[in-house]
Amino acid sequence: MPTVHDWINNPLAVVDGLFAQSNSSPDWEKKVVEYFKEKLKLNDAHTWVPSLNDVPLYYLKPNSLVKFRCMVQDMFDPEFFMGVYETNDLTSNSKQVKCGKYRDITVGGQVDFNSRNTVTSERQTFYCVPIPGESQWNSYAGTSQARVVPSTSYVPNRHKRSYEEDDEMDTQPQQMKDVSQACDGNVTPLTILWCPPKRQETEAPSHDSSSAHCTSSLDLNFPLPGEKGPACLVKVYEDWDSFKLNDMLEVFGILSADPALRVIADEREASLLLDPTEVTETVEEQRVHSPPASLVPRLHMLYAQPLVHNNPLLPSSAPENDGDRKTSSLLRIFRAELHTYLTHVLMGDSLAAEYLILHLISNVYSRRDVLPLGKFTLNLSGCPHSSPYTEHLYKAIQQLVPSSYRLCMSLHNMNNQRMVPRKDYTANRLVSGTLQLANNTSLFLDETQLEQGQLDATGVRNITALGNLISWQKVDYDFNYHQMEFPCNINVLITSEGRSLLPSDSQVHLRPTLNPPNLEEYLSAVQVAQIPSQLNKYRIYLSVARALNYTISDEITKAVEEDFVEMRKDDPQSMSAEDLHRLLVVARLLSLSHGQNTLSRDGWMKAKQLEALRISRTQQQKSVSGNEP
């Protein structure tokens, strides 16, 4: 008897049923997508769908509906496939027209390649990875109601395996024998072995030894070192132009992890080695674009929801701001509690806690020509060099934001870490870098780790890339013959002893009022004292405050202009246009941090007072140290 979960366990039956009813009408494809969209809307049905992020691949049923929360790391060339094909059943001597959409291999008899019913279609492939730097608290597993049992077609003999062991299992003799028999009979790859003409750029970098090293053994191309989780080839059938590189998505699709894909890939690679003149792709490209399905499963997209944020405590859509007084009141309460907590983390520095809150809710809300509006890079100077303070400060921030990464700016890291993504033309892929991050990621630059020494060419390029990220919220990807600009929206916090060598929008010099005998024990105790429910309040507050709309009335705009003229009357050098812009950014963030979506006169005065305190402290520090730039 059919159950409510049939469309999750066997979505291809739904697809085949609608295809059979179509009578060659193209509307059936739209009906498939609408069917699953409607199902996912009902009674939080999306929580019933197993997630690749939380469930090991070997526990998921092949050809079932799954979801994947990810970032688009690369976009491969389009591929052609048999959207419709005809099979011959040798036992009954009958023919049947079948749907090839949402599949990698054919089923049900031998394919008649000469059939007039064959329809060639096109699809796009995205290489997707888990959202880089997701915090440990940021798990959607707690909101999932999916019930997963090991697949009946593939039962693991142990609970956990490494990726390397997965790769080995694909080559076990008995399994290969079974799959080979299937391939010899009724299994045919649906993808037509065709690649677009190579671009001229592909000819030059073929001698690049680093490219050969990257592609000699499969790596999952995660942007951040030490990342774990599945990578996935997402097959996109419609509107792929609406997606961009580095987009955050939640993809709902049909899982394809058939071991036969490995055999097909091996045969294809062998043909490349035997006669490379017959095809346009290289062995390296074939390995990258057709990795073992046990390492990189295929996910045939039915529906993808762009993610404005990846905070599991909030709806995936942007929070609406209708000026609700109750919401504003709650935000002010959460803000006060968060400010108290951050003041303790910053060893009693209330002013630094104020600016850290403003930084954490900052967001590029618009761009005017090349200028990103809303960014607020904060430089916390005065951080001790010879203590673990910055590490504990990062841990505190990591507990508050959905995604973050701490980059220790040691001389070794600056000279050796790949920060800017680059195009590997030999493998025809984008090799990721540290700065390939999703929007609203918190990037913690620890400049206290920078020691004396010489930056080499790589180090200089990395420092330049960080400067461009901070100033223009963009990263220039390396395409060998040219650079391609990719805009981003990344919150950058710089910790340093003196003023940072990198640019920033605001510098606050730490002035601790507490001097605990054991700094490490004190900071650990401060973090442990925050119970999960309290931390969840802070997490909700930061995401909601960042997403609020903001406007300035004509009346307040005029008052600000008059105030600007008044401030410059006695000393024009005391307030530049850049100072006014910074003050407006602080006023905006201060208003939003209190749950207010418009600037008031009182808010403007508070912003001026806050900036006056910060500037006064900075000037005092300059006079004390004497060597601040």
Side-chain angles (χ1 to χ4, degrees), residues 280-301:
T280 57
E281 70 174 353
T282 63
V283 174
E284 291 85 353
E285 182 175 351
Q286 197 278 331
R287 288 174 181 169
V288 167
H289 289 231
S290 301
S294 59
L295 288 178
V296 184
R298 282 65 168 161
L299 188 59
H300 295 267
M301 180 190 292

Side-chain angles (χ1 to χ4, degrees), residues 468-487:
N468 287 335
L469 168 64
I470 292 168
S471 298
W472 310 111
Q473 285 293 306
K474 66 164 188 171
V475 180
D476 296 323
Y477 290 17
D478 182 7
F479 280 73
N480 194 54
Y481 295 97
H482 64 281
Q483 292 184 330
M484 188 173 293
E485 181 180 301
F486 284 85

Side-chain angles (χ1 to χ4, degrees), residues 101-373:
K101 198 173 183 181
Y102 308 117
R103 288 181 169 93
D104 287 304
I105 56 177
T106 61
V107 292
Q110 291 185 341
V111 178
D112 182 1
F113 291 101
N114 298 318
S115 172
R116 294 182 179 179
N117 291 319
T118 300
V119 176
T120 301
S121 303
E122 186 179 11
R123 63 190 178 196
Q124 178 67 282
T125 302
F126 296 162
Y127 187 84
C128 296
V129 298
I131 297 171
E134 281 200 329
S135 303
Q136 289 185 354
W137 67 266
N138 184 5
S139 173
Y140 286 67
T143 62
S144 175
Q145 300 178 34
R147 296 293 180 263
V148 181
V149 295
S151 164
T152 57
S153 62
Y154 173 46
V155 180
N157 57 11
R158 56 188 179 278
H159 292 293
K160 293 185 179 180
R161 296 197 311 271
S162 67
Y163 287 133
E164 292 75 10
E165 289 171 319
D166 276 335
D167 196 7
E168 291 170 2
M169 286 201 69
D170 271 348
T171 59
Q172 289 179 358
Q174 183 59 44
Q175 190 177 17
M176 290 293 286
K177 179 180 177 182
D178 295 340
V179 174
S180 297
Q181 289 173 351
C183 288
D184 292 339
N186 298 327
V187 177
T188 304
L190 279 164
T191 304
I192 299 173
L193 303 186
W194 176 92
C195 293
K198 290 284 184 180
R199 294 178 290 274
Q200 292 182 353
E201 299 102 306
T202 60
E203 300 173 3
S206 59
H207 61 278
D208 187 352
S209 60
S210 61
S211 298
H213 174 73
C214 286
T215 57
S216 59
S217 60
L218 180 69
D219 73 270
L220 297 182
N221 209 17
F222 294 135
L224 299 179
E227 289 276 274
K228 296 180 181 179
C232 198
L233 290 177
V234 177
K235 307 286 185 176
V236 186
Y237 291 87
E238 59 182 16
D239 297 330
W240 53 71
D241 290 337
S242 64
F243 301 102
K244 303 188 300 298
L245 201 68
N246 305 330
D247 275 356
M248 287 192 298
L249 304 174
E250 184 166 43
V251 179
F252 293 86
I254 299 174
L255 177 67
S256 175
D258 198 305
L261 292 171
R262 179 59 183 269
V263 177
I264 294 167
D266 287 345
E267 291 176 352
R268 190 175 175 189
E269 183 174 332
S271 67
L272 290 173
L273 294 170
L274 289 173
D275 192 358
T277 62
E278 290 296 318
V279 291
T280 57
E281 70 174 353
T282 63
V283 174
E284 291 85 353
E285 182 175 351
Q286 197 278 331
R287 288 174 181 169
V288 167
H289 289 231
S290 301
S294 59
L295 288 178
V296 184
R298 282 65 168 161
L299 188 59
H300 295 267
M301 180 190 292
L302 288 163
Y303 167 65
Q305 180 176 3
L307 297 178
V308 179
H309 63 81
N310 59 323
N311 187 338
L313 303 174
L314 293 171
S316 54
S317 57
E320 294 185 4
N321 177 29
D322 56 2
D324 181 73
R325 291 185 178 181
K326 183 178 180 181
T327 301
S328 298
S329 177
L330 281 175
L331 289 178
R332 285 194 293 271
I333 294 171
F334 291 172
R335 186 197 194 281
E337 294 173 354
L338 176 60
H339 181 265
T340 300
Y341 169 57
L342 291 179
T343 299
H344 287 303
V345 171
L346 295 167
M347 297 181 292
D349 192 337
S350 175
L351 181 65
E354 283 280 355
Y355 275 88
L356 185 53
I357 290 176
L358 303 188
H359 162 76
L360 290 173
I361 67 170
S362 63
N363 178 49
V364 177
Y365 63 88
S366 181
R367 292 180 185 266
R368 184 174 298 162
D369 296 327
V370 297
L371 183 65
L373 303 179

Side-chain angles (χ1 to χ4, degrees), residues 85 96 141:
Y85 62 95
Q96 189 174 5

